[in-house]
Structures are given as structure tokens and as C-alpha cells.
Amino acid sequence: MIPIALTIAGSDPSGGAGIQADLKTFHQFGVYGTSVLTLVTVQNTVGVSRVEVLAADLVAEQLEAVLSDVPPRAAKTGALGSVEIIEAVAARAAEFSFPLVVDPVMISKHGVPLLSEPARAALVGKLLPHAFLLTPNLHEAFAICGIESRDQRGVEDAARAIAALGPQAVLVKGGHLAGKAPAGDAESAGEAPETATDTLFWKGQMHHFSSPRIRTKHTHGTGCTLSAAITACLAQGMGLIEAVETAKRFITRAIETNPGIGTGYGPVNHMVSL
């Protein structure tokens, strides 16, 4: 049977991020995508003008409808919007028999907050303990653990600190961190001097995944797309290391070949060949 993956996230009507990006990515990986909508945004590549969070009971009912009929092999969360939604998802996630990837979406590409302080606390205290993998960027990692990651050592310290909060694995995305890949890493061999390095802490070990840094403003939805790609790979039965490696290659090519859509921060290329 075709593998199924579930996304629990918000809507981006311009199609570059959120549920739209997740479903496009699932499809590109040959995975059947299901979805639970948490919030609706009014946005495009230029900015976000409105965010409406759905009622928690409606989110819970959507989730139950999917799980009871088309259970996934892996799932991910994106923007969750409120304390009540986080609590509802966390309560159900405690019973998941499949891996859950949590992308802790806290702020939009345009700087609009998507998670309040109480909701952030609920995310950390109630959802993280049920996560197989957490995928924060540097700003989100700092907000979660209080360790500001200005260099590679700081990134690794943050990954360890976040793992202590409950998730089985933590992938800190290093797209905003300047510099070379860690010396001696096999992944860094033969690369250009300036790289974007993502750091995975899993089972007590650090793993680094590096790629050349791409100079472009068209990076809308990169976090959603990367976490969706990892989720799709897990749904296909890949191990975590292979899933992250594959997703990293996909997002790098998707950024490199971005279609230049919109007048602001455009989306990546979700149709890039695997």
C-alpha cells in the first residue's frame, strides 16, 4: 500500500508554506498526504495581514477523523496557533504508534508571531515529550532552551538542552549560522568554504549535514518543506539519518531551483526532481 503521512498545520494561501507546502512535498516523495488544519492566514510572498486560529475541538475532530480511517506511517506538526490546540494534539500524540516530527513554527518569514508565550510553554511542556524529532531553526532553538547559538558549539549545546526536554531527536537548522562545516565531518568533504550546516542530536551523538549556502531571498517555506520531506521519508520506512540526508538534498535543490514566484520572499521549488 502507498505510504501515508499526516500534516497538522496552518494554511498559506500563496502556497509556499504550511499545509500547502507539506502536501506538495509529500506528493513529490510518492507519499499520500492527509491534513488537519489549525489556522488560516491571509498572506502572500510580501507579508501576513491576518491570522485566524481554529477552535481546538474542530482541530481535534479533524485529527480523529483522519486517524480512525487513514492512519499515517508518520506525521508532522507546523503552526499550531494556541494553547488549546497544542494540548489537544499532545493528548492524541501520546498514543501515536508512528513517529511525530514537530516543526515549532513560532514566527512567519515576514516576522509575524504565530505562537504566544503561553502557547510556546505548552509546546515545550506538553508536545515535545511526544516528539520523535524536533526541527527548530536557530531562533526557535534559542526561544525553547535559552541558549543563543552564535557558533557550532552553541548549536550543539542547544540541541542537547532541547533533547533533555523530551524529544527523541533534535535537528537544529543552521541556515542562519555563518561559517564552515565542522572539521572532520564526512558530509563536509569537497564543499565550498561557506556552508549551511544542520545539526542532529540523536541517541547521544551529533551528526552534521552540510550544503553550500545559497544566496537568494526565495526561501519561503523552507522549514515546512524540510520537515515534510523528513516526515515523508520516515513514512517510507527510512531510518532517521537517511531521512535527514535525503530531505537535506531535496531542500537544497528546491532552493537552488526556486521558481522566483511573487515580488517578496518567494517559495522554493516543490517540483524539483528527487
Side-chain angles (χ1 to χ4, degrees), residues 2-3 5 20-34 228-229 232 236 250 270-272 274:
I2 186 172
Q20 287 86 344
D22 294 343
L23 292 176
K24 290 175 185 178
T25 303
F26 290 167
H27 182 82
Q28 196 67 2
F29 275 82
V31 172
Y32 182 85
T34 58
Q236 290 177 330
F250 177 76
H270 293 101
M271 296 181 288
V272 68
L274 297 175

Side-chain angles (χ1 to χ4, degrees), residues 10-135:
S11 170
D12 171 13
S14 68
I19 272 186
Q20 287 86 344
D22 294 343
L23 292 176
K24 290 175 185 178
T25 303
F26 290 167
H27 182 82
Q28 196 67 2
F29 275 82
V31 172
Y32 182 85
T34 58
S35 61
V36 170
L37 189 63
T38 59
L39 56 88
V40 176
T41 67
V42 176
Q43 68 172 299
N44 53 26
T45 67
V46 178
V48 180
S49 59
R50 185 174 178 181
V51 179
E52 290 288 338
V53 179
L54 299 186
D57 63 334
L58 178 57
V59 174
E61 288 178 24
Q62 291 179 75
L63 182 55
E64 186 56 37
V66 172
L67 295 176
S68 64
D69 187 41
V70 280
R73 293 185 184 176
K76 65 154 289 189
T77 64
L80 295 177
S82 72
V83 171
E84 294 78 12
I85 290 176
I86 292 170
E87 291 177 342
V89 172
R92 200 64 175 86
E95 303 171 356
F96 286 174
S97 60
F98 47 83
L100 174 65
V101 177
V102 175
D103 184 12
V105 180
M106 297 180 176
I107 190 168
S108 77
K109 177 69 70 177
H110 313 289
V112 175
L114 297 175
L115 209 60
S116 66
E117 285 297 332
R120 185 177 302 176
L123 181 81
V124 173
K126 298 193 175 182
L127 186 58
L128 261 59
H130 305 304
F132 173 65
L133 174 67
L134 186 76
T135 62

